[in-house]
Amino acid sequence: MKIAVQKDYDAMSLCAARLTAEEINKHPELVLGLATGSTPLGMYRNWIRMVKDSSLSFAGVTTFNLDEYLGLPPNHPQSYRQFMNEQLFRYIDINPARTFVPNGISPDPLRHCKEYDLRIEKAGGIDIQILGIGRNGHIGFNEPGEDFGQLTHVVKLSESTRQANSRFFPSLDDVPTHAITMGLKSIMKARKVILLASGEDKSEAVFRAVFGDVTESHPASILQLHPNCIFVLDEAAASKIPADARDWSLCMADTRP
């Protein structure tokens, strides 16, 4: 595991964008796993800028999103499909037919989960998986206690996750109680994982993911076992990470904290 620490959110976002853009430019038909939430938005904005200045193209890229709320149609304002359309896809040169998000209104969610895994396999597997991390250590919607051996599946959302996401809905009662998510086994199949974290409130979760026991009670801790994983953090999220654990060779073009 490598840990790249940048001075602030903007520098962190640029670092992550450069790391992924370099791989896409080397492998134009790369398969990319994407995440939603506020953390990757800065990286997405940098990708959009790179596409506009012709230094990056998504024309051959295939994407798979980590998760989707169960019960929300793709055009719902808070669906993750709508999020991706509004925050990234509409601004870049990607083929919409090669962008995949779990179907929150599938009539048979369990079957759909299996089909989603098969679609990823047919695409050749995920080359780079982008992740965020929750304060309780969840990645995707894999909450504490989730089986490390799960592939894509339906999960009941914890109250803490629903509370955290309630700011996007009229009230807590409107937040879905279940979601479809790639499982921890799905995530670990990716050839490379890049986890982004920003802010002091993520520092404990990040520390436990890097230095804590590998345990299902802290899902992100499984990433210690991944052969090619990079944490890209701002200084606040990395506040508990000792200096000797940080990899200064990554994103040297950015200002080091």
Side-chain angles (χ1 to χ4, degrees):
M1 180 182 291
K2 297 179 180 179
I3 303 170
V5 181
Q6 301 294 292
K7 64 176 182 177
D8 55 24
Y9 176 78
D10 288 343
M12 178 204 82
S13 299
L14 181 58
C15 173
R18 286 174 171 170
L19 289 172
T20 48
E22 180 180 0
E23 294 295 326
I24 293 170
N25 286 332
K26 288 179 182 176
H27 308 285
E29 296 186 351
L30 180 143
V31 179
L32 188 58
L34 297 177
T36 55
S38 58
T39 304
L41 286 178
M43 179 183 67
Y44 294 163
R45 286 192 291 268
N46 277 287
W47 285 352
I48 292 166
R49 175 184 55 78
M50 292 172 179
V51 169
K52 288 181 177 178
D53 68 19
S54 300
S55 63
L56 178 64
S57 174
F58 285 84
V61 171
T62 300
T63 66
F64 289 91
N65 263 75
L66 277 168
D67 42 29
E68 178 61 282
Y69 287 117
L70 197 62
L72 296 192
N75 61 352
H76 188 283
Q78 299 306 327
S79 78
Y80 287 163
R81 163 58 78 176
Q82 187 72 359
F83 177 97
M84 294 306 305
N85 288 342
E86 293 297 321
Q87 301 298 332
L88 181 63
F89 295 152
R90 65 183 295 186
Y91 300 108
I92 61 175
D93 59 339
I94 197 164
N95 181 349
R98 299 179 73 166
T99 65
F100 299 97
V101 180
N103 181 4
I105 55 169
S106 170
D108 188 343
L110 298 183
R111 180 178 178 180
H112 176 66
C113 290
K114 293 179 181 178
E115 291 172 346
Y116 200 70
D117 288 326
L118 285 173
R119 191 180 292 275
I120 293 171
E121 286 184 21
K122 288 180 179 178
I126 292 174
D127 294 302
I128 302 176
Q129 177 64 60
I130 304 298
L131 297 175
I133 185 171
R135 288 189 289 271
N136 64 1
H138 76 254
I139 49 178
F141 271 133
N142 295 284
E143 301 283 1
E146 285 290 317
D147 185 345
F148 279 167
Q150 289 264 39
L151 293 171
T152 303
H153 63 291
V154 174
V155 63
K156 182 177 181 180
L157 302 181
S158 71
E159 284 307 302
S160 64
T161 295
R162 293 184 68 239
Q163 286 280 357
N165 291 347
S166 64
R167 67 188 186 277
F168 303 115
F169 291 85
S171 71
L172 179 60
D173 290 339
D174 295 299
V175 182
T177 58
H178 291 75
I180 295 173
T181 185
M182 286 188 202
L184 295 165
K185 185 175 181 180
S186 307
I187 291 168
M188 291 294 285
K189 283 185 172 184
R191 296 177 183 89
K192 177 182 284 188
V193 173
I194 298 177
L195 183 144
L196 312 178
S198 172
E200 181 70 27
D201 62 332
K202 298 294 181 71
S203 61
E204 180 62 24
V206 166
F207 180 82
R208 288 186 62 192
V210 177
F211 294 107
D213 294 335
V214 177
T215 171
E216 291 173 352
S217 66
H218 198 76
S221 65
I222 195 174
L223 297 175
Q224 294 179 37
L225 307 180
H226 196 281
N228 190 6
C229 179
I230 302 172
F231 277 44
V232 183
L233 314 172
D234 68 8
E235 185 64 28
S239 59
K240 298 182 186 297
I241 304 294
D244 61 1
R246 305 179 184 193
D247 190 329
W248 303 114
S249 66
L250 296 168
C251 295
M252 289 297 290
D254 300 326
T255 303
R256 196 173 83 177

